[in-house]
Amino acid sequence: RPPVEEGPTAHDAVALTEEGARHPVMRIGASPEDSKKHWATLPALASNAPVGGPRPGASVLAVTTSASGVVSPVVAVQRYGRGRSMVFAGEASWRWRMR
């Protein structure tokens, strides 16, 4: 098995966007800056599903970068009708709980 890369420069690591740092669903710290620090310490995802670009009106809250350098949305939210929708396009987020 290849070693798991970790940290903000590892491919498939999740990075909050500026909007994601302020959004309540991504808050895992006391402040937006604190949340960004916590997200940066999580292990990288195993991979990311290719979902394409965001739809008009969607807010991308987190992105990941592939080994080839392509930046893709991994968490996005959007109002839909009277409700809201969210997509998580990552794989193996269970690693976050196990560490």
Side-chain angles (χ1 to χ4, degrees):
R1 252 173 106 165
V4 175
E5 295 181 273
E6 295 183 30
T9 59
H11 69 81
D12 293 321
V14 175
L16 292 184
T17 62
E18 288 301 317
E19 190 169 4
R22 294 185 309 271
H23 199 282
V25 76
M26 302 302 284
R27 184 168 294 157
I28 58 175
S31 68
E33 295 77 25
D34 195 33
S35 287
K36 276 187 167 184
K37 288 177 189 174
H38 285 297
W39 277 99
T41 66
L42 294 175
L45 296 168
S47 68
N48 185 43
V51 294
R55 293 183 179 249
S59 298
V60 176
L61 306 180
V63 296
T64 188
T65 305
S66 70
S68 62
V70 176
V71 177
S72 301
V74 71
V75 179
V77 294
Q78 181 175 2
R79 295 190 78 63
Y80 187 80
R82 292 186 190 183
R84 294 179 257 180
S85 63
M86 178 179 155
V87 64
F88 174 75
E91 182 181 318
S93 61
W94 58 266
R95 293 177 180 182
W96 298 340
R97 179 70 176 153
M98 299 301 289
R99 295 193 178 186

